[in-house]
Amino acid sequence: MKKLLLSRVALAALAMSAVMGPAMGPALAADLSQPIYKALPPPAPAFSWSGCYIGGSLGGGYAWTQNTNTVNTTSGFGDFGPGQGFAQPSSGFAGGGQLGCNYQITRFVVGIEGSYLGANIKQDYNSPFGGRDDVYTNKLDAIASVVARFGWAFDNWLYYTKIGWAGAHAKLSVVDSVGITGAGSASHWHNGFTIGTGVEYAVTRNWILGFESNYYRFESKSYEIGGGDGLYTFDSRPRDVYSFLGRLSFKFDMGGPVVANY
């Protein structure tokens, strides 16, 4: 009797295990395999180009200047007659500063910038006439500009073009030290325009490194360089001028970066 009772209990336990086991096993396995998720950190803020900045630039420049004589009443001083002249290249140092503001809309960046460069872009020219002793000098000693900038941002990188007004201060001089000697010089401010392109990289939220190249074209002005010994007048034009500049700017913190919405 006891053996029969034990057998029935064993069979009942086995039957219950067979019924409940398949349902409990997978549920328990699913609970054990379920990963535990932690809250994700907030997205890192992207760099914003919006804001104002101030900085400095350093590099070099190149100019091609045309000079055409219009008046010569010096009675020998000055080798060029009306309609004659010369054109020459010049090169040298350029450096100064910039001040501007940008505003970023998604990837598009628009801004305005003013800049001033001190320069020593100059070249001497020996006249081929007479005793070849007349030495002319073209020099650019300042370039200023006010431009609109348009750029495309990729987080900390900005690629831009710019266009606007430009002006340059130029000087033309001559020295004749043999025979009928004399010397004279004059300087003028030339208005014109500039177009340029550049790239900038934000090293930090405030410090920005960059490089840009610019093309300038200026008007012609009349230069009287007779030096008191009659009239010796040229139309002079720094026609094609270029600058190549490395830049370092400090961007003022206008409340921190914003999350990009690209």
Side-chain angles (χ1 to χ4, degrees):
M1 188 67 179
K2 289 182 179 180
K3 290 182 179 181
L4 181 59
L5 182 59
L6 291 173
S7 297
R8 289 180 177 178
V9 171
L11 287 172
L14 183 61
M16 184 172 290
S17 175
V19 173
M20 301 298 293
M24 295 177 64
L28 180 59
D31 290 341
L32 293 175
S33 63
Q34 186 70 25
I36 299 174
Y37 292 100
K38 294 183 178 180
L40 294 175
F47 180 80
S48 172
W49 289 91
S50 295
C52 297
Y53 59 89
I54 188 171
S57 56
L58 184 65
Y62 169 88
W64 180 263
T65 305
Q66 294 177 320
N67 306 278
T68 304
N69 181 259
T70 56
V71 178
N72 185 352
T73 64
T74 60
S75 301
F77 165 59
D79 296 331
F80 290 104
Q84 297 178 325
F86 64 98
Q88 65 171 354
S90 56
S91 60
F93 159 87
Q98 65 272 354
L99 175 67
C101 294
N102 292 318
Y103 183 73
Q104 182 173 349
I105 308 170
T106 64
R107 288 191 186 275
F108 184 64
V109 179
V110 62
I112 186 170
E113 180 181 282
S115 68
Y116 183 87
L117 298 173
N120 188 31
I121 302 172
K122 62 182 293 186
Q123 183 67 44
D124 293 337
Y125 176 85
N126 284 85
S127 169
F129 301 107
R132 299 187 177 184
D133 57 296
D134 288 13
V135 179
Y136 297 82
T137 302
N138 280 116
K139 180 179 180 180
L140 283 179
D141 57 22
I143 302 173
S145 67
V146 177
V147 299
R149 299 206 316 169
F150 307 93
W152 200 249
F154 296 90
D155 293 331
N156 289 48
W157 290 92
L158 175 65
Y159 301 87
Y160 64 89
T161 60
K162 63 184 207 177
I163 186 169
W165 169 87
H169 188 260
K171 181 179 180 180
L172 174 63
S173 60
V174 62
V175 176
D176 187 347
S177 58
V178 178
I180 304 175
T181 61
S185 66
S187 60
H188 286 294
W189 187 264
H190 296 251
N191 290 308
F193 73 91
T194 181
I195 184 169
T197 184
V199 58
E200 291 184 321
Y201 177 73
V203 181
T204 68
R205 282 173 56 174
N206 301 108
W207 290 104
I208 300 171
L209 288 173
F211 175 82
E212 70 175 28
S213 60
N214 302 290
Y215 170 77
Y216 311 87
R217 195 174 181 94
F218 298 108
E219 64 185 341
S220 178
K221 286 291 184 74
S222 180
Y223 284 73
E224 169 48 49
I225 59 173
D229 187 18
L231 298 177
Y232 195 38
T233 308
F234 284 81
D235 280 344
S236 183
R237 181 186 185 188
R239 190 188 68 183
D240 299 310
V241 181
Y242 302 85
S243 67
F244 307 93
L245 304 167
R247 293 161 51 105
L248 176 64
S249 298
F250 181 85
K251 185 172 85 73
F252 298 100
D253 196 340
M254 305 297 286
V258 297
V259 177
N261 184 19
Y262 300 153

